[in-house]
Amino acid sequence: MTTDTDTDTLTIFSVNPAQGTSELTHLHETTSSDVEEICARAAAAAPHFEAAGRAGRAVFLRAIADELESAREPIVRIAMRETGLPDARLNGELTRTCYQMRLFGDVLDEGSYLEATIDHAGDTPMGPGPDLRRMLVPLGPVAVFGASNFPLAFSVPGGDTASALAAGSPVVVKAHSSHPETSAACFDALVRAAAATQMPDGVVGIVYGQAAGAALVADPRITAVGFTGSLGGGKALLDIISRRDDPIPFYGELASLNPVIVTENAAAARADEIAAGLVASVTASAGQLCTKPGLVFVPTGEAGDALVAGLRTALADVDAPVVLNERIRNSYNDISVSLSRSTAVEVRTTGREAGPEGFRVTPTVLEVNAQALSPEITEECFGPFAVVARYDSDEHLRRGLDVLPASLTATVHSEPGEDDCTSALTELLRPKAGRLLYNGYPTGVVVSWAQTHGGPWPATNTLHTSVGTSAIRRFLRPVTWQDAPASVLPAELQDGDSAVPRRIDGRLTLPAAG
């Protein structure tokens, strides 16, 4: 970055990770005074944005999807240059992003997310009860931190932004330094959609630069933070929040090992199939997926040996991929080399060696004894890297699982007839993961009503999901109106027919058909 003497701010460079080159952009780091102004506009927009109602916000979200679709070609082109990710991956990601915007429009139309509840005045076991009416309301302006590995689906127009806007909370995004021009192009689409649907000025905002991100989290008008990134980055933001006069919710997705367990019967029946699937999952998007399987439990013996041999064969054909930035490359090399030198490592298998051009890394799989697992061996290595832990008994497998940190996902590969084994593994894994998979691979997180993308610490620091329709719950809070006149009640809590599901006097009541 360089100093712009006219504005006394730092000019931002855009880096091409495939070539390792950078070029000057028209963007500048956001000053602290500009952060204050952006947050002030977001706060001023909040009541007007809430007043737009569910219908108005649904129109806005669908307009965002339309604007992103109309700008697909330039957005994808810029993102390819700034991330090194291929055209097919980025086009798929943009399609996903547009879908989740429209899906949250459906959430608003359906309305059950409000948890609208009415208890009429009357006798209760505790005596006469007042008239109570409760529903969820927006928190207010929220900060969203764009993620490096999903420049379109977990960044400026991503799931955090979609769910916060659906909740009725204005959003200020901190653009990720790995894709500043992609962020700017996507933000322009959001601004166009806001203008086209007459949303209030300030309903979306953006800041650039690490200092601006810190100032954003510290601003008293920000009511919550959505973050996808490293454990260290999340802890730094939590430190800022702890120093605020009014601490706020921090919804962080931080680290995940995503263990996979292969039973002996599964290895015997599907060694090559499982090996190919694992290598594809470990190396997809250069291993830069938060659901990448980083630890695979494989039995000792002939069946497990065949699976590991299949892993080696499949990995040997994988080219050294480009990672998103220089920091990720350096961290990957440091961690993978350090773990490779561990006395616990028995075998090191790699794909094709990384060349000198750009930010490339060598795909690597280590083999260890499950009894030798330690915090060092189970450290997350972001990139195309995994550890195979060989176990020779159920007891050794359980001991290995005991030392694992919690993750976003956990996977079991088993065969028909192993119901007792699968059930036992499920009970061991459920406390350690937010999504349990069977005979599949954890990469690929479908956006849907039933999806969970979260887990116990250190996977996340929250009970909420960041993917799926219930992600909206993070940016809402409950309010109860007691003995309120009808004139002050939200439409969803007034007597009479309702367009949303409600629980009235303890009974779930659905809207009339049509």
Side-chain angles (χ1 to χ4, degrees), residues 36 39 43 141 215-223 244-246 248:
E36 290 183 8
C39 291
L216 176 63
V217 173
D219 192 282
R221 287 156 291 213
I222 293 299
T223 62
R244 287 175 53 126
D245 291 335
D246 55 338
I248 57 176

Side-chain angles (χ1 to χ4, degrees), residues 230-371:
S230 69
L231 185 59
K235 287 181 175 179
L237 295 180
L238 281 168
D239 286 343
I240 295 172
I241 290 172
S242 71
R243 296 193 295 270
R244 287 175 53 126
D245 291 335
D246 55 338
I248 57 176
F250 175 83
Y251 302 116
E253 185 210 307
L254 305 170
S256 192
L257 202 59
N258 305 303
V260 175
I261 301 170
V262 183
T263 68
E264 185 170 4
N265 287 345
R270 298 180 279 123
D272 288 343
E273 175 190 329
I274 294 173
L278 283 169
V279 168
S281 190
V282 169
T283 61
S285 296
Q288 299 168 117
L289 301 175
C290 44
T291 53
K292 179 206 72 176
L295 180 65
V296 185
F297 288 91
V298 176
T300 57
E302 184 178 344
D305 290 344
L307 193 155
V308 171
L311 279 173
R312 294 174 188 152
T313 299
L315 190 67
D317 291 332
V318 177
D319 290 327
V322 175
V323 292
L324 294 161
N325 56 52
E326 188 175 17
R327 179 188 57 78
I328 291 174
R329 183 199 60 185
N330 293 344
S331 176
Y332 178 90
N333 288 338
D334 289 345
I335 296 173
S336 63
V337 169
S338 174
L339 294 181
S340 296
R341 292 172 177 168
S342 169
T343 56
V345 172
E346 299 172 356
V347 178
R348 181 177 186 268
T349 303
T350 66
R352 297 191 176 103
E353 292 291 327
E357 184 182 33
F359 306 140
R360 297 181 182 274
V361 297
T362 301
T364 302
V365 172
L366 307 182
E367 187 177 342
V368 303
N369 189 298
Q371 296 183 79

Side-chain angles (χ1 to χ4, degrees), residues 118-133 482-483 505:
I118 299 174
D119 291 332
H120 289 108
D123 291 334
T124 77
M126 297 178 292
D131 184 276
L132 299 173
R133 303 181 184 226
Q482 181 169 329
D483 293 328
D505 297 328

Side-chain angles (χ1 to χ4, degrees), residues 37-58:
E37 182 182 343
I38 291 168
C39 291
R41 288 205 302 269
H48 303 287
F49 189 43
E50 182 177 2
R54 293 181 298 109
R57 294 197 297 276

